[in-house]
Amino acid sequence: MNQPTLASLATELGVSRQTVSNVLNFPDRVRPATRAHVLEAIERSGYRPSAAARALRSQRAMALGLRLSQRRNGISGTIVDGFMHALVQRADQRGYRIVLFPAATNDEEVDKLIELRRSLAIDACILTDTWYGDTRPAELAEEGVPFASFGRPWDGVDHGRWADVDGRAGAREATNHLRGLGHRRIGFIGWADGSPVGSDRRAGWVEALGLDPAGADALTVEGDDSVLAGAQGMAELLGRGADAAVCASDTLSLGAFTETRRRDRGDVRLVGFDDTPISRTLGLDSIRQPVEEVAAEVLDMVLAQLADPETRFEGRLVRPSLVTHERPDFLAT
């Protein structure tokens, strides 16, 4: 079977060869509907553009820099892994490779990205783990390094080159789900590290319940992102009369679940975040984060900048979804 080419794809789709080329090299020049149609055909056919030929034509490295995330909790860390996996796959379909590198601090990350760009080892980069006071976007912009981030700016100037999961909306959905099941005193188990992501999720829970600050504090327990902290938090909430809980992660949800099992409180329902394999195995409801969609958005932003450095962007919040699971027979109460 012959390998697909630009010409054969163009013939199959009834478009010009230049249109297919633009989708791969300058996606912003193609209408969204046409771009999606062409990308679907490219993925289905298994076509892979010649990176060497494209690099020679464009004088580009055909590579994007990405900091290798630090080791995380074995449960919640699956989200970052999922994002990286989706990003590598999407970039490969567009003829780009991802250059991973370690960095212990944000300053070291920026220094390495600037050096990689100056040495023509990468064309652009992707940031993750945004936080309050994050100076990386401004520093990269000053050095002329194209970038986009998985994670919004939590304060300061909004550069617009970001996509993120709407954790607040996810927490509202989780809370409303528990209310729909008849629960009325719904607690929140979160993180004590000041995480903007955790604060955003807690805000969604507060909004869904219409709590004032005192009421929210009375039903909030925070700790580190561990099973033990989840168990301790659930024990504390049960002591305060909670009959359900929204957890900032599946790690905390797992800990909370062990405490409800220990107390034989099968009536207490939980909703975590990330829809990890452990939540599916134990039948724990969770909020699924669409990291594949975020990866696609971030990649499109980076490539659009390479096609036209003057492109302006608006950040995009991607809505997560609630996933309910049946409790397995061996855990039935």
Side-chain angles (χ1 to χ4, degrees):
M1 181 177 178
N2 294 331
Q3 290 295 318
T5 64
L6 283 181
S8 67
L9 284 169
T11 300
E12 174 191 343
L13 295 169
V15 300
S16 69
R17 185 181 183 281
Q18 187 60 50
T19 296
V20 179
S21 178
N22 283 342
V23 168
L24 292 168
N25 297 288
F26 308 104
D28 60 307
R29 297 181 183 177
V30 185
R31 289 181 302 174
T34 302
R35 184 168 67 236
H37 185 48
V38 173
L39 286 174
E40 181 182 356
I42 289 173
E43 184 173 0
R44 184 176 63 251
S45 70
Y47 171 75
R48 291 294 180 268
S50 168
R54 290 178 65 190
L56 286 172
R57 289 195 303 270
S58 63
Q59 295 298 300
R60 292 180 184 167
M62 306 306 294
L64 309 172
L66 177 68
R67 176 182 180 179
L68 186 64
S69 293
Q70 298 179 354
R71 290 185 178 274
R72 302 170 186 239
N73 181 283
I75 299 173
S76 299
T78 58
I79 289 301
V80 177
D81 292 342
F83 171 77
M84 291 177 58
H85 186 82
L87 182 64
V88 169
Q89 284 192 319
R90 291 271 182 174
D92 181 64
Q93 292 167 5
R94 307 286 284 274
Y96 282 80
R97 69 184 187 279
I98 302 299
V99 176
L100 293 174
F101 63 91
T105 66
N106 283 357
D107 288 342
E108 183 182 358
E109 177 185 7
V110 170
D111 289 343
K112 287 190 174 183
L113 286 170
I114 292 173
E115 179 57 32
L116 287 168
R117 170 71 168 166
R118 286 176 177 172
S119 64
L120 305 181
I122 63 171
D123 302 312
C125 65
I126 292 167
L127 304 176
T128 61
D129 300 316
T130 59
W131 201 272
Y132 300 119
D134 194 340
T135 60
R136 294 175 298 170
E139 292 169 355
L140 292 171
E142 184 176 355
E143 293 292 332
V145 181
F147 72 90
S149 67
F150 175 10
R152 74 200 81 168
W154 293 99
D155 51 16
V157 176
D158 184 354
H159 50 76
R161 289 179 274 186
W162 57 268
D164 201 1
V165 176
D166 192 344
R168 182 177 296 209
R172 284 199 303 268
E173 185 174 3
T175 308
N176 288 330
H177 168 66
L178 293 172
R179 292 181 66 190
L181 294 175
H183 298 283
R184 291 295 174 263
R185 193 160 175 80
I186 304 167
F188 183 84
I189 305 177
W191 302 313
D193 61 357
S195 160
V197 174
S199 297
D200 196 48
R201 294 175 183 178
R202 183 177 183 271
W205 163 78
V206 170
E207 290 172 1
L209 293 177
L211 297 171
D212 60 23
D217 288 345
L219 284 171
T220 297
V221 178
E222 297 179 324
D224 58 14
D225 191 31
S226 69
V227 174
L228 178 59
Q232 292 173 336
M234 192 71 248
E236 181 68 25
L237 286 178
L238 290 173
R240 301 179 193 178
D243 59 6
V246 173
C247 303
S249 71
D250 278 354
T251 306
L252 294 171
S253 179
L254 173 59
F257 173 70
T258 63
E259 182 63 18
T260 61
R261 292 287 295 180
R262 189 182 72 83
R263 296 178 178 232
D264 195 24
R265 289 292 306 274
D267 59 307
V268 176
R269 291 294 292 266
L270 307 165
V271 181
F273 262 83
D274 300 342
D275 190 33
T276 57
I278 193 67
S279 70
R280 297 192 289 272
T281 299
L282 297 179
L284 299 175
D285 298 342
S286 190
I287 298 296
R288 176 180 294 163
Q289 303 197 58
V291 291
E292 295 85 359
E293 188 174 347
V294 173
E297 289 282 343
V298 169
L299 181 63
D300 281 347
M301 289 180 181
V302 167
L303 298 187
Q305 290 172 67
L306 294 178
D308 180 5
E310 300 303 316
T311 302
R312 294 291 179 263
F313 301 93
E314 290 186 4
R316 174 151 185 246
L317 281 177
V318 181
R319 193 179 183 92
S321 58
L322 172 72
V323 182
T324 59
H325 298 291
E326 291 293 327
R327 191 65 53 83
D329 291 339
F330 71 90
L331 290 175
T333 55

